[in-house]
Amino acid sequence: MAAPLTQSQIDIVKSTAPVLKEYGVTITTKFYENMLREVPELNNIFSTTSQMTGRQPRALANAVLAYATYVDDLDKLKHAVERIAHKHVSLQVTAEQYDIVGKYLIQAIGQVLGAAATPEIVDAWVAAYGVLAKIFIKVEGDLYKQNKADKWLGWRKFRIVRKERESDTITSFYLAPSDGALPLPRFQPGQYVSLQVDVPELGYLQSRQYSLSEGYSPESGYYRISVKKEEGTEAGIPGIISNKLHEKYNVGDEVELSHPQGEFFLDPTDASKAGVPVVLISAGVGATPLKAILDSLTGPSAVVKRPISWIHASRSRAVQPFGDAVREITKANDNVNSVVFLKNVGPEDQEGVHYQFAGTRLSLEKLDAEKDLFVNNPQAEYYICGPESFMIDVRRGLVGMGVDKNRVFLELFSTGDVPDE
């Protein structure tokens, strides 16, 4: 991933990092305003909610700053490129659209920085953007080739064949291809699909990514996603798509999906991992991708046996997803251990059955370092999903217990990436 830029261009781009740190969000906000106003069809790709909350401009500003910082050492951005490329492919981003993005990004830099955006700086950034665009186009092109091999490019219509309540806030949707073409392409547990629906009140399409929450089975004929109804308590904006799915979509209705994508996954067929512990740690709806991993390692088609620790935290059993299913899997598999933290316990909740720890958030200190966390095993792997601050805290705690950070994998449900602390 060496950057074919002149040393002068590299020096100029790196010198802009302090300016981008200060004005980056202003630049990216202007960029999105200009581009989405003048090329309105791109509203079909970008999340309106992420625009309204400012998360999308912040995420892009962080990405641009990271590129300026490591333009001479792009290997440090390899994970970020992979994550973003999978997201782009799930949204059907095309190579041609990179020219549009480049035009408006450079324009926004000039508008915000004014005279400070000298011809030398603009020329260096045009060249640097061209290099980055080629990297993404190559990575995404390879992913599209893989999807083409599965005979699935673009959006595909799926019908809701079953709708099942998992908790007070989470509902599972079982989605079968409307064209009836089976079997569905295999996916790796932990991956997601992009789901696209028309939003008449906005005047364009909107897409969201939802983890596949059940392990792959060629016989099932469906993919399952489990969607939390987002009330918008944090962002101040109710989830446009999650509320629509919960309230407006029923069995028989159609949505569109793109091919499963995502760099956060576990390969359940990797024979080299036999006997290697895997620890699945989640909070709330973060259990969805981990449930697919658990299914894949314990279901009828499981081929590699590994010690598994399922550790989950919920505010209460009323909002806890997959509680009954995980208890059944734990009882049926002697290699599975499960621990549940419930913040609020009801009169019918039984200690040792429905939960192990009550009245507290998930705490690594309360867990058995060996039985629950396998911290003394130098090969153990950790998959974490939940709110960003939760994941960062858990990762920091594991590293503090001696776990190699490279064996800790995090999945973020929103725009951007988890800070590499």
Side-chain angles (χ1 to χ4, degrees), residues 35 60 63 73 77 104 109 128 144 164 171 189-190 198 206 223 225 237 280 288 313 319 341 355 365 373 376:
M35 184 177 68
L60 179 58
D73 188 10
L77 303 180
Y104 286 99
I109 290 174
Y144 280 125
E164 184 176 76
T171 295
D198 183 32
Q206 285 284 275
Y223 288 149
I225 61 173
I237 301 170
L280 308 174
T288 51
V319 298
F341 289 76
Y355 68 92
E365 289 72 21
L373 296 174
N376 293 324

Side-chain angles (χ1 to χ4, degrees), residues 86-388:
H86 275 275
K87 179 80 170 287
H88 284 176
V89 170
S90 82
L91 293 169
Q92 306 304 302
V93 169
T94 67
E96 293 73 21
Q97 288 167 338
Y98 277 93
D99 290 337
I100 299 173
V101 169
K103 170 187 173 181
Y104 286 99
L105 182 59
I106 299 301
Q107 179 189 90
I109 290 174
Q111 288 178 327
V112 173
L113 300 186
T118 64
E120 292 78 13
I121 287 177
V122 171
D123 289 346
W125 263 104
V126 168
Y129 175 80
V131 168
L132 188 61
K134 286 181 181 179
I135 291 172
F136 275 111
I137 290 170
K138 171 63 169 65
V139 175
E140 291 163 18
D142 290 342
L143 293 174
Y144 280 125
K145 287 178 184 177
Q146 295 173 24
N147 295 351
K148 186 177 182 181
D150 283 334
K151 300 179 180 179
W152 184 354
L153 288 174
W155 296 99
R156 183 177 177 184
K157 290 187 181 298
F158 277 69
R159 192 175 302 279
I160 300 171
V161 294
R162 183 177 165 193
K163 185 175 177 181
E164 184 176 76
R165 181 177 177 273
E166 298 289 353
S167 75
D168 286 357
T169 58
I170 299 171
T171 295
S172 285
F173 295 82
Y174 295 73
L175 307 168
S178 297
D179 60 15
L182 296 172
L184 287 168
R186 182 177 296 276
F187 63 88
Q188 294 285 25
Q191 291 189 307
Y192 57 80
V193 289
S194 274
L195 178 147
Q196 178 177 262
V197 297
D198 183 32
V199 184
E201 53 267 41
L202 294 178
Y204 39 80
L205 302 168
Q206 285 284 275
S207 305
R208 297 292 184 271
Q209 291 68 51
Y210 294 110
S211 297
L212 292 154
S213 62
E214 184 174 284
Y216 177 78
S217 169
E219 294 80 22
S220 72
Y222 63 78
Y223 288 149
R224 188 181 79 173
I225 61 173
S226 301
V227 180
K228 180 183 177 183
K229 185 177 181 181
E230 296 290 352
E231 301 296 343
T233 53
E234 291 184 14
I237 301 170
I240 295 172
I241 305 305
S242 69
N243 279 267
K244 186 177 288 288
L245 288 173
H246 275 255
E247 298 169 2
K248 304 294 185 180
Y249 281 76
N250 296 297
V251 172
D253 291 334
E254 282 188 328
V255 297
E256 291 187 309
L257 302 183
S258 62
H259 191 286
Q261 299 295 154
E263 87 296 346
F264 175 88
F265 64 81
L266 176 149
D267 181 358
T269 66
D270 186 352
S272 70
K273 297 297 178 67
V276 175
V278 58
V279 182
L280 308 174
I281 306 177
S282 61
V285 73
T288 51
L290 305 191
K291 176 58 166 54
I293 293 176
L294 181 65
D295 289 346
S296 299
L297 290 174
T298 59
S301 60
V303 295
V304 178
K305 189 169 184 177
R306 304 177 61 172
I308 305 167
S309 189
W310 172 274
I311 303 169
H312 178 75
S314 278
R315 292 196 312 274
S316 68
R317 194 153 66 95
V319 298
Q320 177 192 359
F322 318 126
D324 291 340
V326 171
R327 280 190 290 275
E328 291 177 7
I329 291 172
T330 302
K331 289 179 182 178
N333 295 272
D334 58 9
N335 60 317
V336 179
N337 171 58
S338 65
V339 179
V340 173
F341 289 76
L342 290 184
K343 181 67 174 176
N344 302 302
V345 174
E348 297 181 359
D349 297 337
Q350 300 177 46
E351 183 177 0
V353 177
H354 301 116
Y355 68 92
Q356 280 67 42
F357 298 99
T360 180
R361 298 176 59 193
L362 190 149
S363 170
L364 297 182
E365 289 72 21
K366 294 182 180 295
L367 297 168
D368 187 304
E370 188 53 43
K371 177 187 174 186
D372 299 324
L373 296 174
F374 304 99
V375 295
N376 293 324
N377 189 310
Q379 293 180 299
E381 296 177 330
Y382 303 81
Y383 290 80
I384 309 171
C385 190
E388 183 175 319

Side-chain angles (χ1 to χ4, degrees), residues 15-93:
S15 74
T16 63
V19 176
L20 292 172
K21 188 172 184 179
E22 183 174 356
Y23 295 102
V25 175
T26 303
I27 290 170
T28 55
T29 299
K30 177 63 68 176
F31 155 74
Y32 281 116
E33 288 175 355
N34 293 342
M35 184 177 68
L36 296 178
R37 181 183 64 251
E38 297 180 21
V39 193
E41 59 267 28
L42 291 181
N43 282 295
N44 293 318
I45 293 178
F46 292 102
S47 164
T48 296
T49 300
S50 293
Q51 292 294 327
M52 294 171 70
T53 61
R55 179 140 197 152
Q56 187 92 54
R58 289 194 299 274
L60 179 58
N62 288 335
V64 172
L65 175 59
Y67 183 48
T69 303
Y70 299 113
V71 67
D72 56 346
D73 188 10
L74 293 182
D75 276 345
K76 284 190 168 63
L77 303 180
K78 193 170 183 179
H79 175 263
V81 168
E82 185 179 12
R83 176 179 172 79
I84 294 169
H86 275 275
K87 179 80 170 287
H88 284 176
V89 170
S90 82
L91 293 169
Q92 306 304 302
V93 169

